[in-house]
Amino acid sequence: MTSSTETTEGASPLTHFDARGQAHMVDVGAKVPTHRIAVASGCIEMQPETLILINSGTAKKGDVFGVARLAGIMAAKKTSSLIPLCHPLALTRVAVDFDAPSDSSLHYTAVVCRATVESFGPTGVEMEALTAVQVALLTIYDMCKAVDRDMVINGVRVEEKRGGKSGYYPALP
């Protein structure tokens, strides 16, 4: 019987390792280019007063969501510089959006960040979408840490992906 990380031949199914177990960049040269889309999301929990400050536009460092959106877009474009085995990709679209509830009666509130990344190429864009979300949320933390050091980033995940040989992948609810 084989484990979930082992094939019947004993080689790892993890594509970033060669037959000798050495890390390598996957060869995507023979793969057919297709339209690729990935959506990732995550959230940052904060005090309701912190969200009020962000929404009022009076945070000392400026437009928190605007700066975080730009940081997320820039991060998606730089993913291959941050993640060693990611391919540099020609992205055709990066969108970073935020959703924040307006109910300030809660003990904390969560701002949800969602990144959609698209390209036309031989490999997927999940890592770019995940990187966009992480950096956008880290930017919110950086811009608001002076008033709320208890913020927590969590729940970062791929929500869906489209394109390539595996087609459509919806994440479990």
Side-chain angles (χ1 to χ4, degrees):
M1 180 190 280
T2 60
S3 72
S4 62
T5 59
E6 193 177 300
T7 65
T8 54
E9 296 83 33
S12 172
L14 300 174
T15 59
H16 287 90
F17 295 98
D18 65 17
R20 297 177 314 205
Q22 302 293 313
H24 74 107
M25 184 180 242
V26 175
D27 182 0
V28 297
K31 291 175 76 177
V32 177
T34 64
H35 182 216
R36 312 286 185 136
I37 303 171
V39 179
S41 64
C43 69
I44 184 167
E45 297 173 2
M46 62 183 63
Q47 300 297 319
E49 298 79 22
T50 306
L51 181 58
I52 291 168
L53 180 70
I54 292 170
N55 285 334
S56 72
T58 58
K60 281 188 176 183
K61 292 187 177 183
D63 176 6
V64 174
F65 290 144
V67 173
R69 180 175 291 107
L70 289 175
I73 292 168
M74 290 174 63
K77 293 168 32 176
K78 294 290 189 181
T79 299
S80 66
S81 296
L82 299 169
I83 312 294
L85 301 177
C86 282
H87 293 83
L89 303 177
L91 303 180
T92 57
R93 175 176 179 251
V94 179
V96 177
D97 297 301
F98 301 98
D99 183 33
S102 58
D103 184 358
S104 62
S105 66
L106 303 171
H107 294 293
Y108 73 91
T109 190
V111 173
V112 176
C113 175
R114 182 167 285 108
T116 303
V117 179
E118 297 186 42
S119 74
F120 187 84
T123 191
V125 290
E126 299 93 326
M127 295 305 297
E128 287 73 13
L130 288 165
T131 302
V133 168
Q134 291 279 28
V135 170
L137 294 173
L138 285 168
T139 300
I140 291 171
Y141 184 94
D142 178 55
M143 294 185 75
C144 298
K145 67 186 178 210
V147 296
D148 187 354
R149 292 197 185 273
D150 293 325
M151 292 177 285
V152 176
I153 295 171
N154 63 40
V156 177
R157 63 184 282 203
V158 174
E159 286 189 5
E160 69 177 86
K161 72 176 230 49
R162 297 177 185 271
K165 185 172 70 173
S166 59
Y168 176 65
Y169 164 80
L172 297 173

